[in-house]
Amino acid sequence: MYSKKFLEILKSGLDQWDEQVAPLRGKKSMPRFFTVSGEDIDELYTPDSVDGVDQDDYFEKQINHPGVFPYTRGVHHNMYRGRLWTMRQFAGMGTPKQTNERFHFILKQGGGGLSTAFDLPTLMGYDSDHERSLGEVGKCGVAVDTLADMEIIFEGIELDKVSTSMTINSPASILLAMYLAVAEKQGVPFEKVRGTLQNDILKEYIAQKEFIFPPKPSIRLITDMMDFCTRKVPQWNTISVSGYHIREAGATAAQELAFTLADGFCYIESAIEAGQNVDEFAPRLSYFFNAHSDFFEEIAKYRAARRIYARHMRDKYKAKDERSWKLRFHTQTAGCSLTAQQPENNIVRVALQALSGVLGGTQSLHTNSMDETLALPSEKAVLIALRTQQVIAYESGVANTPDPLGGSWFVEALTDKLEAEAEAYFAEIERRGGVLNCIEEGFFQRELARSAYEHQKELEKKDRVIVGVNDFTLEDEKIDIPVLKIDRRVEQDQCAFVKKIKTERDNNAVQATLENLRQVAAADGNTFEAIYDCCKAYASVGEMCDVLRDVWGEYVETQAAMQVS
Amino acid sequence: MAEKIRVLLAKPGLDGHDRGVKVIAAAFRDAGMEVIYTGLRQTPQMIVDAAVQEDVDAIGLSILSGAHMTLFPAVLKEMKAKGAENIILFGGGIIPDEDIAELEKEGVSKLFTPGASTEEIVSYLRSAVKNKSDDEQII
C-alpha cells in the first residue's frame, strides 16, 4: 500500500524522533503502559508498525470495504447509515406477570426487541417448588415452569410482530418449544417467528457453569434444534455463541476472542458431522461479545473477530453463501468492570464501553445499569443505560460513517496482533484434542482463573488504577442510589401456581409425552419434536429435565477444571 | 508458631459464577493457608459435612445470585445441628448493606462485597482465626 520510498522517509524521521524522545523516557505518568488484558502497548504507532503495508494487495486482503470479505470494517456496506444497531436491553424478574408488564412497557417506549432473563431454577432445569430452587425463584430473571408461564409472559404480544431473545442454555430447546407453542396458539405460523436463543452450552462448561447434562448429549440437543429450525423456523437465530461470560469469568480480550470462535467452530463441525449443510444453518448463527474497558483493544477485537470468522468459514468450512461468512454480533458492556464504590461513575464506564462496541460495528447492544454490583437494576438506572446508547447514536456523530477508526495504525496493528493470538490458541486447542477435550482437562478454566488472578494482583499492586476502588476513594462513602428488591412472595406465588397447573392438566397426556421423550433421548430421534409435545401437554421444565438427567446423567466439573490457577 | 489455617470455600445454591471464589482460593493459598474448594452447587449439608470432616477453621461462601438470605441461614442452621458452631462462617457476593447487617446479627462473621481486596480478606481471616483460638484457650 505504501511505497518503498514512503517507508524509507518514514523510518528516517522515526530515527530522529527516537533521539528526541530518549531524554524524556525517565519520567512516566503510569507505572506500565498496557491494556486491560495485560498487553504492552508500544510507544508510538506508524505505518511501519503494521505488517504487510508495503504490499499492493494489503488493503484488499486485510481490511477491504465494509460489507466486503473479510468484513474487517463491518458486515454491511453502509453500516449505521442504513440502520442503527438494535438497542436490546435484557430484562426479566419475578413472576411471569411482572415480566409481561415490563415487556409491554419496553414495547411502548419503542424498544426494538425483547430480551428475556430467566431465573436460576429455570436455567438449571428445576421447577420453582423443587428444594434446590429455594431462595432463587424470580431472583436473576423470570421463573418459567410450564407453558402456562410462557403464555402469561407473552400475553397481549403478537409473536409475528416482535423479535425475542432468550438467555437460556441447557434447557434452551424446552423454552423455544414453549415459545413456539404460544405462537401456535396465537395462530402465528412458525415461519414468521423471529428471535434468538443463547443456547451456547460450551461456554457454560468453560465459564458460566450453568450446565445440566454432559457435553455430548447437550450438543445433540442443539443440533436437533438447529435441524428443526432450518426446516420449520427459518427466521430463528439458533445459537448466540457467547464470549461475554468467558470474559466476565476473567479472560483477556485474546482469550475471549479465541475461545468464543473456537466454540462456534465446534458447533459448526458438529452440525456438519450430523449431516447438515453449512450454508443452510450458518447464516442463523450469531455471536455475543463483551465490551470491556480498554477502548482500542475492544475495537480491535471485534474487527479481528469478523476477519478470522470470514476466513475460516470460507476457506476451512467451505461455505459458499456470503451470509455464512459474516460474523454478526451482539455486545454487552462489562459487568465485571463496574464498581460498587461511587456507583454513579459506572455510567461513564458503560458509555465508553458502549462506544467501543459501536465503533467496532456491533449489530445490537445492551448497556449495563450503574447499580448492577449492588442488585438487579432499578428502573431509573435502566433508563440511564438506554439513554446512553441514544446519546451515542444521535449526538456523538460516530454512526455517520462505517468503521471510523479503520486505517488507524494503532488499531490495525492491534487487530493483527489479536488475530495472531487467536490463531495461536486455535492451534493449541487443536493440539489438545479439540474444544471438548480442553473442557474436560480444564484448559480453558485454568486459563481464565490465571488471568483473573493476575488482574486482581495488578489491582492490589496498583499497577492498574480503578477509580474509586484502589485510588481516588471517598472516606465513609454512603451509597444513595435506589436498590431494587425482589419480594419473597414471588417464590411462594410461583410455587403455588406450578402446583395448581400440575393438578389441573391432563396428567396421562403428560406421562405419555414424557415417556416418548425418554425413548427418543435414549435412541436417536429428534429430541426437539419430543420436547415440543411435552410442552404442549404442560409438562414442566423440571419434569422434562429429570427425564433427560435420567437418560444422560448430570455433568460434574472435573477436578482439573476446578483448579484455581 | 500456629498451625496452618485451614479454610473451606464453596459455592452454595444454583449460581455458577466462580471467578471470585477462585481468586480468593488462590490468594489464601499464596498466603500460606490450606484451601479446600468444594466446587459448585453444594447443599448446606454437603458444605458442613465437608467442613467437619476436613476439620477446617473457617467456611467461606460465595453467592452472587441474590439467594444469600436463604443460603447463609441454612448453612448456619446446619452448623448448629452438627455442633460445628466453632467454625467461622464468612462470605462474599452481591449483598446489600441491610442484608449484611441482618446476616452478621444471625451469626455470619463477615461479608465482603465487590471491590474488597484479597489482602483485606486474608488479614481478616488471620485475625478471626487467631481470636477464635485465643477464646478457645481461655475456655
Side-chain angles (χ1 to χ4, degrees):
Chain A
M1 193 164 79
Y2 297 104
S3 70
K4 271 213 168 82
K5 184 74 188 161
F6 176 98
L7 291 169
E8 270 168 29
I9 296 169
L10 174 97
K11 276 181 201 163
S12 93
L14 203 52
D15 289 341
Q16 283 176 28
W17 175 84
D18 190 59
E19 280 171 31
Q20 289 157 344
V21 83
L24 307 174
R25 286 195 177 109
K27 194 167 167 248
K28 286 160 78 175
S29 61
M30 289 185 205
R32 239 181 108 181
F33 298 94
F34 63 153
T35 70
V36 75
S37 302
E39 303 261 2
D40 284 306
I41 294 302
D42 293 347
E43 210 171 13
L44 184 70
Y45 289 80
T46 70
D48 190 44
S49 314
V50 184
D51 278 344
V53 288
D54 55 341
Q55 304 295 310
D56 288 345
D57 63 354
Y58 166 79
F59 183 80
E60 193 195 2
K61 228 171 96 188
Q62 292 290 92
I63 303 174
N64 221 343
H65 299 295
V68 181
F69 190 94
Y71 311 105
T72 311
R73 308 200 70 182
V75 290
H76 302 301
H77 294 91
N78 55 354
M79 286 306 290
Y80 304 133
R81 289 179 74 112
R83 208 183 126 227
L84 287 170
W85 64 93
T86 304
M87 299 176 192
R88 194 188 282 279
Q89 298 295 94
F90 183 48
M93 71 291 190
T95 60
K97 191 164 182 304
Q98 288 170 311
T99 299
N100 176 259
E101 283 161 12
R102 180 60 71 90
F103 280 179
H104 278 285
F105 171 79
I106 290 169
L107 291 172
K108 259 191 216 120
Q109 305 296 313
L114 301 173
S115 177
T116 325
F118 297 98
D119 70 357
L120 272 169
T122 309
L123 297 174
M124 291 301 298
Y126 293 112
D127 288 344
S128 298
D129 57 350
H130 191 282
E131 64 171 333
R132 301 217 61 170
S133 305
L134 199 65
E136 313 264 20
V137 177
K139 286 277 162 62
C140 301
V142 61
V144 172
D145 295 308
T146 67
L147 176 57
D149 298 313
M150 209 62 148
E151 288 166 356
I152 296 168
I153 294 174
F154 292 99
E155 203 168 285
I157 298 168
E158 295 169 71
L159 298 195
D160 52 348
K161 303 268 164 37
V162 292
S163 101
T164 303
S165 162
M166 291 191 265
T167 299
I168 186 87
N169 295 282
S170 291
S173 290
I174 296 173
L175 277 294
L176 174 61
M178 287 182 180
Y179 189 77
L180 291 176
V182 174
E184 193 184 287
K185 289 197 167 195
Q186 289 187 358
V188 173
F190 287 178
E191 304 85 71
K192 289 196 170 172
V193 175
R194 287 177 301 130
T196 305
L197 276 186
Q198 190 162 86
N199 197 27
D200 171 11
I201 195 66
L202 293 172
K203 66 95 173 53
E204 295 297 334
Y205 300 116
I206 295 172
Q208 191 170 234
K209 313 285 172 80
E210 278 145 20
F211 40 69
I212 305 176
F213 316 112
K216 286 220 168 86
S218 293
I219 297 227
R220 175 181 162 200
L221 275 175
I222 294 169
T223 52
D224 285 354
M225 191 269 278
M226 285 165 73
D227 176 53
F228 182 88
C229 288
T230 299
R231 287 184 285 118
K232 300 200 168 154
V233 204
Q235 295 201 69
W236 194 267
N237 292 313
T238 49
I239 313 178
S240 168
V241 186
S242 305
Y244 185 82
H245 320 80
I246 293 175
R247 190 67 181 274
E248 290 288 300
T252 63
Q255 288 169 339
E256 178 195 358
L257 177 65
F259 299 170
T260 310
L261 292 179
D263 287 352
F265 297 145
C266 181
Y267 294 120
I268 289 161
E269 287 166 18
S270 304
I272 291 173
E273 268 169 40
Q276 300 176 35
N277 175 345
V278 64
D279 283 320
E280 277 179 4
F281 68 79
R284 305 314 306 170
L285 300 177
S286 63
Y287 288 76
F288 173 20
F289 289 111
N290 196 297
H292 211 292
S293 295
D294 200 290
F295 191 69
F296 292 106
E297 186 173 56
E298 294 302 277
I299 295 165
K301 179 185 76 184
Y302 309 123
R303 299 174 85 252
R306 277 191 295 268
R307 189 159 75 199
I308 296 167
Y309 194 68
R311 287 176 173 162
H312 281 249
M313 291 308 286
R314 190 187 70 178
D315 302 337
K316 186 167 178 197
Y317 299 108
K318 310 291 177 204
K320 298 201 168 50
D321 187 338
E322 268 191 55
R323 292 177 308 151
S324 306
W325 303 342
K326 293 180 183 176
L327 180 142
R328 296 170 299 130
F329 69 101
H330 173 69
T331 303
Q332 180 173 337
T333 58
C336 66
S337 74
L338 302 185
T339 67
Q341 296 72 20
Q342 303 174 43
E344 295 89 343
N345 296 346
N346 292 329
I347 298 172
V348 181
R349 293 188 177 98
V350 167
L352 288 166
Q353 295 165 359
L355 184 58
S356 77
V358 170
L359 290 171
T362 194
Q363 274 59 63
S364 61
L365 180 61
H366 168 103
T367 32
N368 285 338
S369 300
M370 63 167 161
D371 51 1
E372 289 186 23
T373 53
L374 304 168
L376 279 181
S378 68
E379 200 155 278
K380 175 157 190 184
V382 169
L383 196 63
I384 293 172
L386 177 62
R387 293 290 180 257
T388 303
Q389 293 201 38
Q390 291 160 338
V391 170
I392 292 171
Y394 298 104
E395 297 183 18
S396 75
V398 297
N400 287 337
T401 186
D403 189 33
L405 287 171
S408 146
W409 304 303
F410 176 39
V411 171
E412 295 301 349
L414 212 50
T415 304
D416 293 350
K417 192 171 179 214
L418 282 166
E419 181 178 9
E421 286 179 42
E423 289 290 348
Y425 267 123
F426 297 152
E428 165 114 41
I429 293 165
E430 178 109 24
R431 198 175 57 71
R432 290 172 178 268
V435 168
L436 294 182
N437 270 338
C438 287
I439 288 170
E440 283 292 311
E441 65 166 58
F443 170 67
F444 298 121
Q445 298 91 324
R446 284 194 309 276
E447 286 284 295
L448 301 193
R450 182 172 54 83
S451 301
Y453 192 40
E454 285 305 313
H455 183 79
Q456 183 65 30
K457 285 195 288 192
E458 285 161 8
L459 293 187
E460 298 192 12
K461 279 188 297 183
K462 279 208 189 185
D463 275 352
R464 208 180 272 298
V465 167
I466 304 291
V467 173
V469 175
N470 65 355
D471 208 346
F472 312 108
T473 51
L474 290 176
E475 299 263 327
D476 297 324
E477 190 191 344
K478 288 260 182 301
I479 309 276
D480 63 352
I481 59 173
V483 170
L484 183 86
K485 292 206 91 173
I486 299 290
D487 196 318
R488 286 180 187 215
R489 289 248 329 258
V490 163
E491 186 158 310
Q492 294 158 11
D493 290 352
Q494 190 61 24
C495 288
F497 188 63
V498 64
K499 284 200 172 82
K500 180 169 163 277
I501 295 292
K502 282 179 181 173
T503 53
E504 287 175 358
R505 66 188 181 182
D506 176 352
N507 276 302
N508 289 331
V510 171
Q511 288 314 314
T513 56
L514 287 173
E515 185 49 39
N516 179 53
L517 175 61
R518 179 185 303 276
Q519 286 175 14
V520 170
D524 59 1
N526 189 309
T527 48
F528 190 81
E529 284 160 10
I531 287 170
Y532 187 66
D533 292 338
C534 295
C535 292
K536 284 212 299 187
Y538 293 84
S540 69
V541 172
E543 288 165 333
M544 286 180 259
C545 288
D546 279 346
V547 166
L548 298 177
R549 275 187 266 255
D550 230 31
V551 180
W552 293 335
E554 283 183 79
Y555 185 72
V556 181
E557 255 195 326
T558 60
Q559 282 297 323
M562 280 166 53
Q563 280 171 23
V564 292
S565 63
Chain B
M1 187 61 201
E3 277 180 45
K4 259 190 173 184
I5 292 173
R6 290 173 66 77
V7 54
L8 180 125
L9 297 175
K11 290 279 302 174
L14 299 177
D15 171 35
H17 292 86
D18 60 1
R19 174 182 181 155
V21 75
K22 284 184 169 178
V23 165
I24 300 302
F28 283 157
R29 178 200 61 198
D30 290 353
M33 301 180 191
E34 287 283 348
V35 182
I36 298 129
Y37 171 49
T38 64
L40 305 171
R41 315 235 149 75
Q42 303 289 301
T43 62
Q45 194 187 353
M46 288 155 81
I47 291 165
V48 177
D49 284 350
V52 171
Q53 202 181 346
E54 296 282 351
D55 190 23
V56 297
D57 300 293
I59 299 172
L61 304 180
S62 162
I63 304 174
L64 291 102
S65 70
H68 49 268
M69 294 310 282
T70 304
L71 294 168
F72 278 105
V75 171
L76 281 171
K77 197 174 147 201
E78 188 69 22
M79 286 166 72
K80 279 202 185 96
K82 298 259 160 67
E85 293 116 305
N86 63 324
I87 299 175
I88 297 159
L89 179 66
F90 70 104
I94 299 184
I95 308 176
D97 285 348
E98 51 181 289
D99 291 353
I100 292 179
E102 197 178 324
L103 290 172
E104 290 184 351
K105 211 165 69 190
E106 285 184 35
V108 178
S109 156
K110 177 93 183 155
L111 290 167
F112 295 93
T113 54
S117 72
T118 60
E119 205 179 328
E120 187 187 336
I121 299 168
V122 165
S123 81
Y124 148 77
L125 190 59
R126 281 202 180 115
S127 71
V129 171
K130 186 172 176 296
N131 290 342
K132 185 184 78 156
S133 55
D134 290 350
D135 288 351
E136 280 164 3
Q137 275 167 11
I138 294 164
I139 297 162

